[in-house]
Amino acid sequence: MTLTGQTRRFVEKLPFECYELSTAFPTKQMTADFVVVAPTYDFEMTGIIDDFIDYQDNRRYFKGVAGSGNRNFAELYVFTARDLAKKYDVPIIAEFEFNGTEKDVDKFIKGVESIGNTSFTQ
């Protein structure tokens, strides 16, 4: 789920299997650990992420979150990821601006590796 495409461009740099949430397909049963890469949106726009996490047993497999955003938003930078981390008691494994740098990609990969055998969702 990405309005500007920045989060999708970040995800395309990753060596993980991914699933992109959409309003057309907001739910999917997960059967392995996963992390969410969350763009920074208003609370009304992030309900689809909550619906996905709360779908069937998905909460059990949700292990971490990464956030994208724009540092010009100051304290609102990556607030969606921070909100998800707090709400579901999972770690923030990475924060990045726009579509991220190679350093951001490396940090994300290390964050996923620290969780263990983890698949990926956007």
Side-chain angles (χ1 to χ4, degrees), residues 1 21 23 26-27 41-55 80 83-84 87-88:
M1 177 178 88
L21 297 177
T23 54
T27 57
Y41 291 139
D42 291 335
F43 290 109
E44 297 81 26
M45 297 286 293
T46 60
I48 188 173
I49 299 172
D50 290 320
D51 292 345
F52 171 75
I53 294 167
D54 293 332
Y55 182 73
T80 301
D83 183 56
L84 290 168
K87 181 176 183 177
Y88 293 100

Side-chain angles (χ1 to χ4, degrees), residues 3 12 15 22 24 27-28 36 46 49-50 56 60 67 79 91 98 109-110 112:
L3 294 178
E12 289 170 348
S22 71
T27 57
K28 177 180 174 144
V36 169
T46 60
I49 299 172
D50 290 320
Q56 294 188 10
R60 171 179 154 202
F79 83 86
F98 304 119
I109 291 169
K110 287 179 179 147
V112 169

Side-chain angles (χ1 to χ4, degrees), residues 4-80:
T4 64
Q6 296 283 3
T7 304
R8 183 180 298 115
R9 283 191 283 284
F10 177 80
V11 169
E12 289 170 348
K13 299 175 190 180
L14 301 172
F16 301 107
E17 177 184 347
C18 67
Y19 172 75
E20 184 172 350
L21 297 177
S22 71
T23 54
F25 301 102
T27 57
K28 177 180 174 144
Q29 173 72 44
M30 299 302 288
T31 58
D33 292 347
F34 68 91
V35 298
V36 169
V37 176
T40 298
Y41 291 139
D42 291 335
F43 290 109
E44 297 81 26
M45 297 286 293
T46 60
I48 188 173
I49 299 172
D50 290 320
D51 292 345
F52 171 75
I53 294 167
D54 293 332
Y55 182 73
Q56 294 188 10
D57 288 335
N58 287 356
R59 171 63 187 95
R60 171 179 154 202
Y61 297 110
F62 180 35
K63 301 300 179 185
V65 63
S68 70
N70 183 327
R71 292 186 195 282
N72 288 337
F73 296 150
E75 69 275 352
L76 296 179
Y77 174 68
V78 302
F79 83 86
T80 301

